[in-house]
Amino acid sequence: MVRWGVAGAAGVLGVGVGGGVVDVAGMRETAGAVGAAGVADVADVRGAVGVLGEVLARLVAVPAPEGLRTLGGAVERMLAAAPETVGRLADASERRLLADCVAAVREVAGEPGDRLLHWDLHYDNILAGRADTGRAGQWVALDPKPLAGDPGFELFPALVNLFDAGEVVWRFDALTEAVGLERDRGRARAWTLGRVLQNAVWGAGTGGHRMVPEHAEIARQLLGGGVTVRAGVRWCGG
């Protein structure tokens, strides 16, 4: 079951999958339905990653409704802007790193996917539902930027929010397993590197000449050992 509506900038989505429910809504739509406690308040960050993974898995199990913006369109724009973005970076090692991200994205750009994506699913955007609104025991995801695309494109916010360099690979592995991509982590890495590229493009558009340090670190760790995307295709970090 999918119920989709848009009220100004606030979209509302209810998805029932296998008896579970994911509610994704604009913050203004659900402010009265959630309490103050959120996933970001969970003392065990790995536990918070687990909750986010469960919410994400139920969300991406559903095909995106017709009429949503698509990852295919977004990737065309970021790849078109990539040469200028790479050239604007002041640091040579960052230019090589971002060029590797571009190469990875090109390998998967032809298969952008059709799943329902939140696009900004981080820990501060998941709050506990309130009992008096019938949402006791539910985690409610807020403030979506709905997009149709590959689930691998959804992982980056959970890596960079509450950032811990020592946990990047663990989180990535846990999230790919949660959404059923453990056998296709090469593709998930490529789309996560696509988020690094997208943010670099946005940064260059506002006059930036350096990558965000946390974004660069995520890219280095995901690229560091080389990952097979398709048979015979490998890339390595610079």
Side-chain angles (χ1 to χ4, degrees), residues 28-121:
R28 287 173 294 175
E29 297 278 347
T30 60
V34 297
V39 170
D41 300 317
V42 174
D44 175 11
V45 176
R46 288 193 172 190
V49 174
V51 171
L52 188 147
E54 292 173 5
V55 172
L56 178 58
R58 294 199 299 270
L59 182 64
V60 301
V62 178
E66 294 289 335
L68 286 190
R69 54 193 162 184
T70 67
L71 178 55
V75 78
E76 285 181 12
R77 291 188 292 274
M78 74 173 79
L79 288 175
E84 181 178 355
T85 301
V86 172
R88 287 180 64 91
L89 292 174
D91 183 84
S93 66
E94 290 185 0
R95 290 196 296 272
R96 292 192 297 270
L97 182 64
L98 195 61
D100 284 343
C101 293
V102 175
V105 173
R106 289 192 189 281
E107 292 296 332
V108 295
E111 300 176 7
D114 66 350
R115 299 290 93 182
L116 179 62
L117 308 184
H118 181 286
W119 205 355
D120 194 26
L121 192 63

Side-chain angles (χ1 to χ4, degrees), residues 39-40 52 118-126 142-143 145 154 157-158 160-161:
V39 170
L52 188 147
H118 181 286
W119 205 355
D120 194 26
L121 192 63
H122 57 75
Y123 309 103
D124 289 322
N125 272 346
I126 302 177
L142 306 173
D143 198 20
K145 285 79 176 172
E154 282 282 69
V160 74
N161 186 231

Side-chain angles (χ1 to χ4, degrees), residues 1-237:
M1 177 273 291
V2 175
R3 175 173 55 83
W4 178 259
V6 176
V12 181
L13 173 66
V15 181
V17 182
V21 175
V22 177
D23 286 316
V24 179
M27 181 70 79
R28 287 173 294 175
E29 297 278 347
T30 60
V34 297
V39 170
D41 300 317
V42 174
D44 175 11
V45 176
R46 288 193 172 190
V49 174
V51 171
L52 188 147
E54 292 173 5
V55 172
L56 178 58
R58 294 199 299 270
L59 182 64
V60 301
V62 178
E66 294 289 335
L68 286 190
R69 54 193 162 184
T70 67
L71 178 55
V75 78
E76 285 181 12
R77 291 188 292 274
M78 74 173 79
L79 288 175
E84 181 178 355
T85 301
V86 172
R88 287 180 64 91
L89 292 174
D91 183 84
S93 66
E94 290 185 0
R95 290 196 296 272
R96 292 192 297 270
L97 182 64
L98 195 61
D100 284 343
C101 293
V102 175
V105 173
R106 289 192 189 281
E107 292 296 332
V108 295
E111 300 176 7
D114 66 350
R115 299 290 93 182
L116 179 62
L117 308 184
H118 181 286
W119 205 355
D120 194 26
L121 192 63
H122 57 75
Y123 309 103
D124 289 322
N125 272 346
I126 302 177
L127 300 182
R130 283 172 36 193
D132 60 351
T133 62
R135 300 191 183 197
Q138 296 181 20
W139 289 105
V140 181
L142 306 173
D143 198 20
K145 285 79 176 172
L147 182 73
D150 190 287
F153 200 66
E154 282 282 69
L155 309 183
F156 179 80
L159 303 180
V160 74
N161 186 231
L162 302 179
F163 181 73
D164 183 338
E167 290 285 284
V168 168
V169 173
W170 184 90
R171 290 188 195 182
F172 179 82
D173 287 348
L175 291 167
T176 50
E177 184 172 351
V179 299
L181 292 176
E182 66 272 20
R183 294 181 180 273
D184 203 358
R185 286 193 168 116
R187 190 178 93 233
R189 282 185 173 91
W191 283 121
T192 302
L193 294 169
R195 294 294 290 265
V196 174
L197 173 59
Q198 185 177 60
N199 280 285
V201 168
W202 289 341
T206 60
H209 294 279
R210 296 296 303 269
M211 294 178 68
V212 176
E214 293 85 355
H215 300 185
E217 180 60 23
I218 289 169
R220 289 188 192 98
Q221 291 199 33
L222 295 185
L223 284 163
V227 179
T228 301
V229 180
R230 292 192 180 90
V233 178
R234 296 179 68 84
W235 75 88
C236 297

